Amino acid sequence: MPFVLLVFRNLIRQKIRTGLTVLGISIGIAAVVALGIIANSAKAMTAELLRAGGSDFAIGRNGSSDLTFSTLTASDLEKVAAYPEVAHASGVLLAFSKVGSNPYFAQVGIDPDDLDFFDLPMVEGQRLAAGASDEVMLGTEAAKQLGTRVGEQVGIRDQTLRVVGIYRTGTVYLDGGGVLPISTLWEYERKEGLYTLLYVKVKPGTDLAALTARIEAEHPDLATLRGLNDVSDVDQGLQIIDAVNLGISILAVFIGGIAVMNTMVMAVFERTREIGILRAVGWRTRRILQMIVGEALLLCIIASVFGSAVAVLLTRFIVLLPAIRAFISPEYTPDVFIRGILVGVGVAVLGAIYPAYRAARLSPAEAIRYE
């Protein structure tokens, strides 16, 4: 009988026990993979936000606990705009409130004049008019959720705004929210003259690395944001998600390892006589070890595949909720599934150590006499 087939047949001898072990390990792996998918989605959304409007980089307040808590002033905007390499700098205020069924409707406040530099591809209607205070542009996803068309009205906080245009940027964050005059957002957020982020476009031929380094050196309270590596300066949220994912992975390895160890120890006890016979007919210790470890690995690989499938189904299900779909689009990158497999392998190795050691120490004569 082929060795792999023997390993598989050993596992299905106790179908219920094997199935329950696979189920338990799968839950842990599903949690690891699902959280990894959500973390990657959050990172992708953040990366999109940093380059919104076709900007070359963004600027936030250094040391902010969250990207949306960054607070900048008109003075900061003037300092950045004064650099000769900067073609234009736009100040943007971000806010969230319940609109329709979405409790986290994103509102992007911007000076209508800055829309000449902040790219928002229009699908329908027109951009905000200069000096307007009662207008709003909606992203395609937001317009769909609200069932609103150009010319109709939408209530945001205590304001009634007329929809003048619908845009599609391909950015989940923007397409699930709306863009309105910053003066309107200043009024109901009570943040007159403040910005969350500055979006910067530079002149052709500018060395971005040199410019961003100079801005940070001359203004230590500002953080230039070109990519995810820079986000930690203004947002610890992504680091927290990564830390939680690491913690869950470690817990999954230990808890799953105990489950596998229990299953494999029981298998060794039940097959003591059989192992003795195999040793008596010439099986070496290494071969016995390979059999026990192989069973544990196969068990955990099955659990990894099943757990990863559950994670994909779960994340697809949660984005059916409008409130989730407005700011997260699942990112199914290979690294999250590789992490799930690595967790499974870790569980198998940890769980197989003691059973394999016990099986390898069995004396053939004593094992054959075992009842």
Side-chain angles (χ1 to χ4, degrees):
M1 179 185 298
F3 185 71
V4 175
L5 182 58
L6 174 63
V7 169
F8 178 74
R9 289 189 63 180
N10 286 340
L11 281 181
I12 63 175
R13 287 182 179 184
Q14 296 290 340
K15 297 182 179 63
I16 294 178
R17 186 169 66 204
T18 298
L20 290 175
T21 304
V22 167
L23 180 62
I25 299 170
S26 296
I27 292 173
I29 291 176
V32 171
V33 174
L35 190 56
I37 292 171
I38 292 173
N40 281 356
S41 302
K43 290 177 181 179
M45 183 199 73
T46 302
E48 291 173 348
L49 181 61
L50 298 182
R51 305 299 291 272
S55 60
D56 292 302
F57 62 91
I59 292 178
R61 178 67 66 193
N62 193 13
S64 301
S65 61
D66 187 273
L67 188 63
T68 57
F69 293 160
S70 168
T71 302
L72 301 168
T73 65
S75 175
D76 295 319
L77 178 59
E78 291 173 0
K79 292 174 185 176
V80 173
Y83 281 87
E85 299 92 337
V86 173
H88 187 80
S90 304
V92 166
L93 180 64
L94 302 177
F96 299 87
S97 62
K98 187 178 188 306
V99 177
S101 61
N102 185 358
Y104 306 109
F105 183 86
Q107 297 128 67
V108 180
I110 190 169
D111 188 330
D113 292 336
D114 284 339
L115 290 175
D116 290 335
F117 305 91
F118 195 85
D119 188 24
L120 288 174
M122 302 302 297
V123 174
E124 185 180 352
Q126 60 188 19
R127 297 184 300 182
L128 301 173
S133 60
D134 62 346
E135 297 180 351
V136 64
M137 298 188 299
L138 295 178
T140 48
E141 182 62 29
K144 178 181 176 181
Q145 289 182 18
L146 297 172
T148 305
R149 305 188 61 169
V150 172
E152 297 180 347
Q153 294 184 329
V154 61
I156 300 179
R157 300 284 278 271
D158 56 351
Q159 305 284 323
T160 299
L161 305 176
R162 182 169 58 90
V163 179
V164 296
I166 296 175
Y167 60 84
R168 180 189 291 115
T169 63
T171 301
V172 175
Y173 197 90
L174 288 175
D175 290 350
V179 175
L180 57 157
I182 195 168
S183 58
T184 303
L185 202 56
W186 276 341
E187 181 180 347
Y188 67 70
E189 284 292 315
R190 295 179 175 83
K191 293 183 177 180
E192 181 71 32
L194 300 180
Y195 306 98
T196 305
L197 294 171
L198 306 180
Y199 287 102
V200 181
K201 284 192 174 182
V202 301
K203 295 177 181 178
T206 298
D207 185 338
L208 284 179
L211 175 60
T212 55
R214 194 160 92 250
I215 291 174
E216 290 190 342
E218 295 175 358
H219 306 286
D221 57 330
L222 300 182
T224 57
L225 311 169
R226 295 177 59 192
L228 288 176
N229 292 335
D230 303 321
V231 173
S232 60
D233 293 334
V234 296
D235 193 335
Q236 282 75 53
L238 296 180
Q239 292 176 308
I240 292 173
I241 292 177
D242 286 337
V244 170
N245 198 9
L246 177 61
I248 290 178
S249 299
I250 294 173
L251 283 175
V253 168
F254 279 101
I255 295 174
I258 292 172
V260 172
M261 186 182 300
N262 178 69
T263 297
M264 299 312 301
V265 165
M266 291 297 295
V268 171
F269 273 124
E270 292 170 357
R271 289 153 48 198
T272 298
R273 186 180 178 86
E274 175 187 321
I275 292 173
I277 294 173
L278 291 174
R279 294 290 302 277
V281 298
W283 274 44
R284 296 183 178 181
T285 300
R286 185 179 63 182
R287 191 67 164 170
I288 298 295
L289 290 174
Q290 288 174 344
M291 181 177 68
I292 301 301
V293 174
E295 291 175 22
L297 279 172
L298 181 58
L299 189 72
C300 292
I301 288 173
I302 294 171
S304 298
V305 173
F306 183 69
S308 297
V310 170
V312 170
L313 292 175
L314 180 63
T315 52
R316 285 188 177 277
F317 173 75
I318 64 173
V319 295
L320 295 177
L321 302 173
I324 303 297
R325 189 170 62 246
F327 63 90
I328 284 183
S329 177
E331 294 286 326
Y332 301 105
T333 54
D335 63 292
V336 297
F337 299 106
I338 292 173
R339 180 180 298 175
I341 292 173
L342 290 177
V343 169
V345 171
V347 167
V349 172
L350 183 64
I353 291 174
Y354 175 69
Y357 172 75
R358 179 178 176 80
R361 292 192 62 192
L362 286 174
S363 166
E366 292 178 0
I368 291 173
R369 292 198 304 267
Y370 182 83
E371 294 294 341

